[in-house]
Amino acid sequence: MAAATMRIGELATRTGVSVHVLRVWERRYGLLTPRRSTGGYRLYGPSDEWRVRETVRLRATGVSTAQAAAAALAASRQSGPHDSARSGEGTATARDAPATAVERGRLRDHLLEAIDQFDGSAAHAVLDVTLEQLGVEEALRGVVLPVLHETGVRWADGTFTVAQEHFASNLVRSRLATLTLAWDGGSGPLAVLACPPGEQHELGLLAFGVVLGRAGWRVRYLGADTPVDTLTSAVQSLRPDLVVLASVQTDPLAAAADELGRLDRSAQRALRAAHFVVGGAGATQEVAEQLGAVLLDGDPVEGARLVNPRGEHSP
Ligand code: B12
């Protein structure tokens, strides 16, 4: 933890936001949480600076200041740096020191242990540390998604019960949901995300959406088990830049391709007018071609980085 040592003028200089506006944001949105010096001055720390920068970044995507500040506050609770009350307690945040592979392994072990014990508080405490140390993208890639994968392995070999797997996926889902607060605002390119009918595995898609939203996209999330005609009618009215269909299993994508072929041509055209991609372990080149979509390889974090703001992606 780093100390709260900055006066408001220094915070203004560092962030480029005027003292007046900072005071308004503190009063109106509770964005800043200064401590008092012995002389009675307000002193601000790295977490205040982080929230101001995050608010500025989100406003640049077109969201209102109130929305941006609310999202920055929520994200700061999840992944921002925290300030120590004492001054002079070091200046580096935990984020400055990248966690080693061993530390990531330890975080995964702690999370799996908490899941094994059905201990939600312990699991969230591990997620707090993980998000703080690694940031959202690396936390997903290095800890959260591998833990889900390992949960599946343990479920398949009988080490975990279905109850433990359900506990894990609901816990992760609820945590990811808190990272989606600002993803439908602003003026960035628009993405529609769905799983095909019969596909309940949505966590990879949700993680993909979180990363996309953080990169400035507006996300319309339809989630698991989305009927094909509903998807196409949403696409006809929203006219997104990008449509993503994700599936862990191949059969639901193949069935969706058949169903799409039976829909009228305007529905098919609307889907293909957007950049239409398929991702997830069930997405093969063959099924992508059946759908008239492009295959998006890789994990959700990498996949979200590959699509560019015009809705295209590099191979
Ligand atoms: C959580 C979970 C569930 C939950 C899902 C809850 C939810 N809200 O999503 C529930 C309980 C609903 C469930 C149900 C079932 N499940 Co399940 N489940 C899992 C589990 C443990 C985690 C899935 C997950 O979210 N992983 C996180 C993602 C990110 O990792 P991933 O799936 O490995 O995905 C990789 C890629 O596909 C890619 N990716 C994934 N999504 C996306 C999206 C995009 C856009 C991109 C670019 C990439 C991408 O990234 C990952 C690589 O890093 C997996 C274990 C596992 N190996 O993952 C089993 C697993 C997927 N389930 C499995 C099975 C068999 C089932 C059931 C059939 C069980 C049953 N008998 O009822 C049902 C099917 C339900 C249905 N009709 O869809 C098998 C699938 C085998 C297969 N390939 O067909 C697995 C692999 C377990 C196993 N070891 O056998 N499951």
Side-chain angles (χ1 to χ4, degrees), residues 94 97-115 122-135 138-148 150 154 171:
T100 63
V102 173
E103 284 162 346
R104 283 169 202 216
R106 207 172 289 140
L107 290 165
R108 290 195 291 268
D109 288 346
H110 286 322
L111 190 51
L112 284 160
E113 175 65 20
I115 290 165
H124 280 297
V126 177
L127 288 169
D128 286 343
V129 172
T130 305
L131 286 159
E132 187 186 329
Q133 286 196 351
L134 304 182
E138 285 311 309
L140 290 172
R141 208 173 193 189
V143 177
V144 176
L145 300 179
V147 161
L148 283 172
E150 176 62 19
R154 293 189 186 189
L171 186 113

Side-chain angles (χ1 to χ4, degrees), residues 145 148-153 155-156 165-166 169 173 198-205 208 244-249 279-282 296-300 303-304:
L145 300 179
L148 283 172
H149 188 86
E150 176 62 19
T151 299
V153 171
W155 166 75
E165 172 276 307
H166 275 37
S169 37
R173 198 193 184 293
E199 179 56 271
Q200 296 292 344
H201 300 100
E202 60 159 337
L203 298 174
L205 185 67
F208 176 88
V244 182
L245 205 52
S247 187
V248 166
Q249 310 160 95
L296 186 56
D297 278 330
D299 66 57

Side-chain angles (χ1 to χ4, degrees), residues 10-314:
E10 185 184 344
L11 184 62
T13 307
R14 289 174 68 99
T15 57
V17 177
S18 73
V19 168
H20 170 72
V21 169
L22 287 175
R23 289 211 170 103
V24 172
W25 287 2
E26 179 175 333
R27 200 174 55 244
R28 197 172 290 166
Y29 309 119
L31 191 69
L32 307 175
T33 49
R35 71 175 186 89
R36 291 274 179 185
S37 72
T38 42
Y41 295 117
R42 286 180 160 86
L43 293 177
Y44 300 85
S47 73
D48 296 301
E49 182 177 338
W50 188 89
R51 284 189 293 272
V52 172
R53 289 186 187 282
E54 186 67 359
T55 303
V56 170
R57 185 185 74 77
L58 290 169
R59 283 176 74 215
T61 70
V63 299
S64 70
T65 308
Q67 278 179 311
L73 275 164
S76 143
R77 279 192 286 273
Q78 297 280 333
S79 58
H82 297 281
D83 306 332
S84 70
R86 280 176 292 136
S87 61
E89 196 185 280
T91 50
T93 64
R95 225 179 230 234
D96 293 335
T100 63
V102 173
E103 284 162 346
R104 283 169 202 216
R106 207 172 289 140
L107 290 165
R108 290 195 291 268
D109 288 346
H110 286 322
L111 190 51
L112 284 160
E113 175 65 20
I115 290 165
D116 183 51
Q117 301 294 315
F118 296 105
D119 189 339
S121 305
H124 280 297
V126 177
L127 288 169
D128 286 343
V129 172
T130 305
L131 286 159
E132 187 186 329
Q133 286 196 351
L134 304 182
V136 173
E137 285 76 8
E138 285 311 309
L140 290 172
R141 208 173 193 189
V143 177
V144 176
L145 300 179
V147 161
L148 283 172
H149 188 86
E150 176 62 19
T151 299
V153 171
R154 293 189 186 189
W155 166 75
D157 73 13
T159 322
F160 270 2
T161 61
V162 171
Q164 279 154 328
E165 172 276 307
H166 275 37
F167 179 75
S169 37
N170 282 313
L171 186 113
V172 169
R173 198 193 184 293
S174 65
R175 193 69 188 233
L176 289 180
T178 66
L179 299 170
T180 68
L181 290 171
W183 76 0
D184 60 355
S187 55
L190 182 65
V192 170
L193 312 185
C195 297
E199 179 56 271
Q200 296 292 344
H201 300 100
E202 60 159 337
L203 298 174
L205 185 67
L206 192 53
F208 176 88
V210 165
V211 179
L212 214 56
R214 286 171 57 80
W217 286 75
R218 288 174 296 142
V219 178
R220 299 290 182 272
Y221 185 74
L222 311 185
D225 193 17
T226 304
V228 175
D229 58 348
T230 299
L231 171 65
T232 53
S233 70
V235 167
Q236 279 172 310
S237 64
L238 291 168
R239 297 181 175 277
D241 302 280
L242 175 71
V243 178
V244 182
L245 205 52
S247 187
V248 166
Q249 310 160 95
T250 305
D251 288 353
L253 287 173
D258 287 346
E259 208 177 323
L260 189 60
R262 288 194 293 273
L263 292 181
D264 68 69
R265 283 190 184 279
S266 65
Q268 297 175 20
R269 268 201 305 275
L271 202 52
R272 287 160 191 160
H275 187 60
F276 180 29
V277 304
V278 283
T284 60
Q285 187 58 42
E286 190 186 348
V287 84
E289 280 168 19
Q290 286 166 20
L291 281 159
V294 175
L295 180 63
L296 186 56
D297 278 330
D299 66 57
V301 177
E302 182 63 16
R305 283 184 181 145
L306 286 176
V307 289
N308 73 26
R310 288 186 305 285
E312 298 156 351
H313 74 275
S314 15

